[in-house]
């Protein structure tokens, strides 16, 4: 066989899309190691497609064509046709509205700062209305009033608490997806409705039904918790505690109740002193939420609380949080300092003698709004 009679044009001609026909009975030279045609090595796949080289390589000498095209062939052809659509990375970030992208707390907050919330703002009651002796006592011995310059920021917090979850809003969806991914470690998106939300401690398949009384602020607080590198560790620890085979509790429902406590503390001006000191409202409310959640987890673990204790624990916690907010914030400060140094957390090592328990629909959970005086029976939150 004469190899000289069976040759290809040089590389320049290949790049111009011209391929010389292969003579009958001859084939292009192959690499002995990997049996790849030497003339084609180094060419990109897109080049092969553009110049029809693959068709030349796979064509039979007698011009045979398949009579029936299988589904596999059609799928392969569609994938091949998509080669031209694959673009190299340019280094620029994708649009923030693309699904699957995590969202930061500041980005989500900015969304609420820019959209029209006037209809929700009409519903808020910034402070508790007191009359008679209660008003006099609060004026003489109560906490200081919030500085005038901070009241707009306070009203924004309370307005967000009036907003519900809109599954059609891409920002709302990204907040949910981010919370789910950070708590579970999943790299993939999940449906906005489904039983997987019960695994995180929502009451049902639709998280929106659990937000009454705290609104979207409850989701922003969870987002804050999981998107900060230091508080993320705390969130994961509490989430693991919530799945303990004996001490399990619905994590997200508990978090929503903590947000309710934060809202009431803000309205009752329990946080005004600290807000005035820091000249900020939102960071103080966030830290107060995190500190209160940390305190609950510590009580839950060390006192061996179970789901039947939830309402009483939350009631006592609300009293403590409103009475000594600075004390709670200091505890959180110490915890975060220990985390930054790589020391053990305040929650301590949680010993589990059995497997983690999945969320159960049969669990009865009492929230801060459900517990009646002298009540001994727990009911589902909301």
């Amino acid at each position: 066989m004469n190899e000289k009679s069976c040759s290809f044009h040089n590389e320049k001609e290949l790049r111009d899309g011209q391929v010389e026909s292969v003579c009958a009975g001859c084939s292009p030279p192959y690499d002995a190691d990997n049996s790849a045609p030497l003339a084609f090595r180094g060419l990109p796949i897109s080049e092969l497609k553009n110049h029809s080289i693959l068709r030349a390589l796979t064509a039979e000498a007698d011009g045979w064509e398949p009579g029936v095209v299988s589904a596999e062939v059609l799928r392969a052809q569609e994938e091949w046709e998509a080669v031209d659509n694959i673009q190299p990375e340019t280094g620029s970030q994708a649009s923030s509205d693309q699904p699957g992208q995590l969202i930061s707390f500041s980005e989500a907050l900015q969304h609420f700062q820019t959209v029209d919330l006037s209809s929700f703002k009409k519903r808020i009651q910034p402070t508790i209305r007191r009359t008679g002796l209660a008003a006099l006592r609060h004026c003489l011995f109560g906490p200081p009033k919030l500085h005038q310059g901070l009241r707009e920021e306070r009203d924004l917090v309370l307005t967000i608490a009036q907003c519900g979850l809109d599954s059609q809003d891409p920002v709302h969806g990204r907040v949910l997806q981010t919370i789910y991914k950070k708590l579970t470690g999943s790299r993939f998106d999940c449906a906005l409705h489904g039983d997987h939300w019960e695994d995180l401690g929502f009451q049902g398949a639709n998280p929106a039904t659990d937000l009454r009384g705290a609104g979207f602020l409850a989701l922003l607080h969870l987002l804050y918790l999981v998107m900060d590198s230091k508080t993320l560790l705390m969130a994961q620890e509490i989430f693991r505690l919530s799945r303990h085979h004996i001490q399990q509790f619905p994590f997200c429902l508990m978090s929503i109740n903590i947000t309710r406590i934060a809202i009431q503390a803000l309205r009752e001006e329990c946080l005004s002193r600290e807000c005035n000191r820091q000249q900020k409202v939102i960071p103080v409310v966030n830290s107060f939420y995190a500190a209160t959640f940390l305190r609950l987890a510590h009580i839950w673990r060390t006192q061996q609380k179970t789901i039947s204790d939830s309402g009483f624990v939350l009631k006592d916690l609300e009293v403590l949080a409103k009475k000594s907010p600075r004390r709670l914030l200091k505890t959180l400060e110490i915890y975060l300092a220990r985390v930054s140094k790589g020391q053990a957390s305040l929650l301590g090592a949680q010993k589990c003698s059995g497997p983690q328990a999945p969320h159960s629909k049969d669990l009865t959970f009492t929230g801060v709004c459900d517990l009646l005086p002298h009540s001994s029976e727990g009911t589902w939150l909301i």
Side-chain angles (χ1 to χ4, degrees):
M1 181 183 302
N2 186 2
E3 290 185 356
K4 292 182 179 180
S5 63
C6 180
S7 62
F8 294 96
H9 285 206
N10 58 31
E11 181 177 346
K12 180 178 182 302
E13 293 174 326
L14 280 174
R15 295 188 182 278
D16 292 336
Q18 300 178 359
V19 182
E20 190 172 6
S21 301
V22 181
C23 66
C26 298
S27 60
Y30 279 75
D31 188 298
D33 296 331
N34 55 20
S35 301
L38 291 174
F40 300 150
R41 296 186 63 182
L43 291 180
I45 291 180
S46 58
E47 188 104 8
L48 295 178
K49 177 189 176 183
N50 292 338
H51 302 301
S52 304
I53 292 179
L54 288 187
R55 288 197 294 271
L57 290 175
T58 57
E60 293 292 339
D62 58 2
W64 175 85
E65 293 182 2
V68 179
V69 181
S70 66
E72 288 79 8
V73 172
L74 291 176
R75 283 196 299 269
Q77 184 177 358
E78 291 173 356
E79 292 173 359
W80 179 249
E81 294 298 330
V83 169
D84 282 343
N85 298 327
I86 299 177
Q87 302 295 330
E89 292 286 346
T90 61
S92 62
Q93 290 185 342
S95 170
S96 61
D97 288 334
Q98 289 183 351
Q101 187 177 8
L102 299 181
I103 186 171
S104 66
F105 175 83
S106 59
E107 184 180 353
L109 178 62
Q110 186 179 18
H111 169 74
F112 285 97
Q113 290 172 328
T114 55
V115 298
D116 181 16
L117 300 177
S118 56
S119 61
F120 298 103
K121 190 173 182 179
K122 295 176 182 178
R123 308 176 189 173
I124 69 172
Q125 184 180 342
T127 58
I128 298 295
R129 295 175 182 173
R130 298 177 175 87
T131 59
L133 291 178
L136 179 61
R137 183 170 59 251
H138 181 79
C139 181
L140 295 176
F141 308 107
K145 290 187 176 297
L146 189 68
H147 290 170
Q148 184 69 36
L150 298 176
R151 293 178 185 179
E152 183 177 351
E153 188 177 353
R154 174 202 60 192
D155 291 350
L156 175 62
V157 173
L158 298 177
T159 301
I160 295 175
Q162 292 293 324
C163 299
L165 172 62
D166 182 2
S167 59
Q168 302 302 315
D169 190 321
V171 172
H172 290 206
R174 288 175 60 204
V175 169
L176 270 181
Q177 297 285 2
T178 300
I179 293 170
Y180 181 84
K181 290 177 181 178
K182 283 292 187 177
L183 286 177
T184 64
S186 173
R187 295 183 295 113
F188 305 101
D189 283 351
C190 62
L192 297 184
H193 295 165
D195 293 342
H196 49 279
W197 294 111
E198 296 181 38
D199 295 333
L200 263 61
F202 285 101
Q203 182 174 346
N206 182 7
T209 60
D210 293 336
L211 301 182
R212 292 188 300 273
F216 204 87
L217 184 64
L219 294 181
L220 281 188
H221 277 165
L222 277 171
L223 182 67
Y224 158 77
L225 207 62
V226 301
M227 286 303 287
D228 185 279
S229 58
K230 293 177 290 187
T231 54
L232 172 60
L233 177 62
M234 184 183 84
Q236 292 171 337
E237 284 190 295
I238 299 175
F239 184 58
R240 285 196 298 270
L241 176 62
S242 74
R243 297 173 64 84
H244 188 269
H245 66 291
I246 294 176
Q247 293 184 271
Q248 60 178 310
F249 60 85
F251 175 83
C252 287
L253 288 185
M254 192 71 82
S255 173
I256 293 170
N257 274 271
I258 302 298
T259 297
R260 285 176 168 176
I261 293 176
I263 292 171
Q264 285 302 108
L266 180 63
R267 293 181 64 237
E268 294 178 18
E269 302 177 291
C270 301
L271 304 180
S272 295
R273 189 186 306 277
E274 191 63 26
C275 290
N276 292 341
R277 188 180 72 84
Q278 296 189 26
Q279 285 298 297
K280 298 175 182 178
V281 175
I282 293 175
V284 171
V285 175
N286 288 347
S287 296
F288 178 80
Y289 156 82
T292 306
F293 210 169
L294 178 65
R295 178 62 181 171
L296 179 139
H298 180 73
I299 293 173
W300 200 271
R301 185 189 68 83
T302 57
Q303 299 183 17
Q304 299 296 308
K305 299 298 184 181
T306 64
I307 194 67
S308 61
D309 303 312
S310 58
F312 302 100
V313 172
L314 284 168
K315 273 294 183 183
D316 292 342
L317 182 63
E318 182 176 9
V319 173
L320 171 65
K322 292 177 179 179
K323 182 179 180 180
S324 307
R326 182 58 190 156
R327 176 182 171 187
L328 286 181
L329 293 172
K330 186 63 177 178
T331 301
L332 177 68
E333 183 181 335
I334 295 172
Y335 168 82
L336 296 181
R338 296 183 65 182
V339 169
S340 64
K341 295 178 182 179
Q343 299 177 353
S345 74
L346 294 180
L347 293 180
Q350 178 64 35
K351 297 181 180 179
C352 297
S353 57
Q356 288 185 337
H359 176 71
S360 173
K361 293 183 179 180
D362 296 329
L363 292 177
T364 55
F365 181 83
T366 308
V368 292
C369 298
D370 300 315
L371 189 62
L372 300 176
H374 311 295
S375 173
S376 59
E377 295 183 7
T379 57
W380 271 107
L381 168 66
I382 327 178

